[in-house]
Amino acid sequence: MLKIGVIGCGAIGRDHIRRLHDLVPGAEVVGCADYFQEAADKVAAQYGIRAYASGEELIASPDVQAILIASSDPSHAGYVLEGLKYGKYVFCEKPLAQNAADCEKIIAAECAHGKRLVQVGFMRRYDRGYAEMKRIIDSGELGAPLMIHACHRNVSQPDGFQTEMGVSNVAIHELDICRWLLGDEYKSGQVLKVRQSAESTKGYDNPQIVLLETQSGCRIDVEVQVADAYGYDIQCQVVCEKGTVNLPDPYAVVKRANASRSYPLLTDWKDRFIEAYDIELTQWVQAVEAGQLTGPSAWDGYVACVAADALNRSRGTGVFYPIETIEKPALYR
Ligand code: ISE
């Protein structure tokens, strides 16, 4: 059994604890921690595990072999670096850090160990829909990919949400999945503001459009709505030379009644990729046991942050900003 400590007992932290506890073979959650001690105490009592007084204490504990970080975004990088200090395996929810510079520190610390210890929670790579899209693109039957049209729509946001987070917290998923689908790297990007929705009364831009250009000249547009007032809706179409591939909508029963045909939309993002999260953590535990991580790396987390930084800097300038990374270390090649 892999003894795992979870830092962060908010929505996704509790969801991952449930998943590791109930579903994932070979996983044992032995402890948790949260900035709000009461939150950790509550979860600890529910599962009969230890509540640590801090993330640092959990990481240092000899009872904890691997760490899952699901705390607030700004705390991720610090906990990842702390985990690396102890040479422990770390699964970090997205984003890996708040900026590219912090990701570079993580990359340097991981490279000093000479082996991969960090995995980033880009769970969409484990979604059956995206995986099948990638299989078809990679098979070459549709010719070269040329464009991606995507949209990421959330129902609402918690207090404290800011315009930049529309990129660094929300569209960060597209920043990862688009380069993964295309097998390509970004060259430049920009964020555009469009006519603002009447739902945008909380001081942040909504919607925004993210535009990207890849090294091979593909173009990507991502509509980002963080308060759409109707449902959690993720769309993605890859246009290739000889055809297109589309992300399927999640399974839903069609109802015919009152002279209409309908099916429900999800509203909670945790449900949309629930199966992908299950597969992701199952494979992570297997990979840790085998001593060889295979999922999204610190490098992938870094590239997404480099792109997010450039996009956030471009806002309001009307020009594309270059997306430039450091040289890829051998560990990630
Ligand atoms: C959340 O952290 C996610 O990962 C969701 O996929 C995203 O839609 C949501 O906006 C984020 O806050």
Side-chain angles (χ1 to χ4, degrees), residues 243-285:
T244 67
V245 278
N246 274 62
L247 182 70
D249 279 331
Y251 171 81
V253 167
V254 176
K255 187 171 79 184
R256 289 173 161 82
N258 302 319
S260 70
R261 196 175 58 186
S262 66
Y263 63 89
L265 293 179
L266 296 170
T267 52
D268 185 338
W269 52 264
K270 290 192 301 308
D271 298 332
R272 170 64 180 85
F273 291 104
I274 193 161
E275 191 193 31
Y277 284 121
D278 293 348
I279 300 170
E280 168 190 58
L281 288 192
T282 300
Q283 291 192 5
W284 175 64
V285 169

Side-chain angles (χ1 to χ4, degrees), residues 12 14-25 27 68 91 93 119 121-128 269-286:
I12 191 67
R14 291 198 305 275
D15 207 38
H16 282 333
I17 291 174
R18 171 196 61 73
R19 175 169 286 120
L20 290 168
H21 184 271
D22 296 354
L23 294 174
V24 175
L68 187 150
F91 179 98
E93 261 307 334
Q119 179 164 327
F122 288 130
M123 79 299 179
R124 290 189 185 184
R125 295 186 184 202
Y126 299 88
D127 174 73
R128 283 174 205 273
W269 52 264
K270 290 192 301 308
D271 298 332
R272 170 64 180 85
F273 291 104
I274 193 161
E275 191 193 31
Y277 284 121
D278 293 348
I279 300 170
E280 168 190 58
L281 288 192
T282 300
Q283 291 192 5
W284 175 64
V285 169
Q286 284 168 356

Side-chain angles (χ1 to χ4, degrees), residues 12 73 93-95 121 123-124 152-154 156-158 161 165 169-173 225-226 232 234 269-270 273 277:
I12 191 67
D73 291 3
E93 261 307 334
K94 40 63 60 178
M123 79 299 179
R124 290 189 185 184
H152 188 146
R153 301 188 186 129
N154 281 250
S156 60
Q157 295 302 327
F161 192 86
M165 293 166 72
N169 175 276
V170 179
I172 195 98
H173 283 296
Q225 285 209 56
V226 295
Y232 187 67
I234 303 298
W269 52 264
K270 290 192 301 308
F273 291 104
Y277 284 121

Side-chain angles (χ1 to χ4, degrees), residues 18-262:
R18 171 196 61 73
R19 175 169 286 120
L20 290 168
H21 184 271
D22 296 354
L23 294 174
V24 175
E28 184 186 353
V29 182
V30 294
C32 61
D34 195 279
Y35 178 78
F36 298 104
Q37 188 63 42
E38 281 162 36
D41 290 344
K42 203 168 155 201
V43 171
Q46 185 184 346
Y47 289 94
I49 58 176
R50 176 163 169 199
Y52 287 88
S54 67
E56 286 78 4
E57 196 191 326
L58 178 148
I59 291 167
S61 169
D63 298 332
V64 173
Q65 295 173 307
I67 298 136
L68 187 150
I69 300 168
S71 47
S72 64
D73 291 3
S75 67
H76 289 183
Y79 288 137
V80 175
L81 286 167
E82 192 69 12
L84 287 174
K85 244 200 246 168
Y86 290 85
K88 295 190 179 181
Y89 283 99
V90 180
F91 179 98
C92 181
E93 261 307 334
K94 40 63 60 178
L96 177 59
Q98 290 295 84
N99 53 60
D102 283 350
C103 295
E104 286 180 28
K105 288 185 200 151
I106 291 170
I107 285 172
E110 190 177 38
C111 286
H113 283 284
K115 75 185 263 211
R116 279 199 52 199
L117 291 170
V118 178
Q119 179 164 327
V120 180
F122 288 130
M123 79 299 179
R124 290 189 185 184
R125 295 186 184 202
Y126 299 88
D127 174 73
R128 283 174 205 273
Y130 280 117
E132 180 61 4
M133 289 169 77
K134 180 160 177 63
R135 191 195 66 72
I136 295 170
I137 295 165
D138 287 353
S139 79
E141 66 172 285
L142 300 183
L146 308 172
M147 289 172 271
I148 296 185
H149 307 298
C151 77
H152 188 146
R153 301 188 186 129
N154 281 250
V155 178
S156 60
Q157 295 302 327
D159 289 346
F161 192 86
Q162 291 161 8
T163 296
E164 292 72 22
M165 293 166 72
V167 175
S168 66
N169 175 276
V170 179
I172 195 98
H173 283 296
E174 275 76 16
L175 296 180
D176 181 65
I177 207 71
C178 289
R179 68 181 268 272
W180 182 74
L181 283 171
L182 297 174
D184 202 350
E185 296 299 341
Y186 299 127
K187 185 176 165 202
S188 62
Q190 78 165 307
V191 176
L192 297 178
K193 189 169 176 173
V194 296
R195 178 180 178 178
Q196 294 294 283
S197 159
E199 296 298 315
S200 307
T201 53
K202 298 206 175 134
Y204 45 75
D205 287 1
N206 177 52
Q208 308 185 62
I209 293 183
V210 166
L211 299 176
L212 293 154
E213 184 186 13
T214 70
Q215 308 244 334
S216 63
C218 293
R219 293 282 182 167
I220 299 164
D221 56 89
V222 187
E223 171 204 314
V224 185
Q225 285 209 56
V226 295
D228 68 8
Y230 79 87
Y232 187 67
D233 202 359
I234 303 298
Q235 303 291 329
C236 182
Q237 179 183 61
V238 182
V239 180
C240 303
E241 289 169 313
K242 291 187 263 182
T244 67
V245 278
N246 274 62
L247 182 70
D249 279 331
Y251 171 81
V253 167
V254 176
K255 187 171 79 184
R256 289 173 161 82
N258 302 319
S260 70
R261 196 175 58 186
S262 66

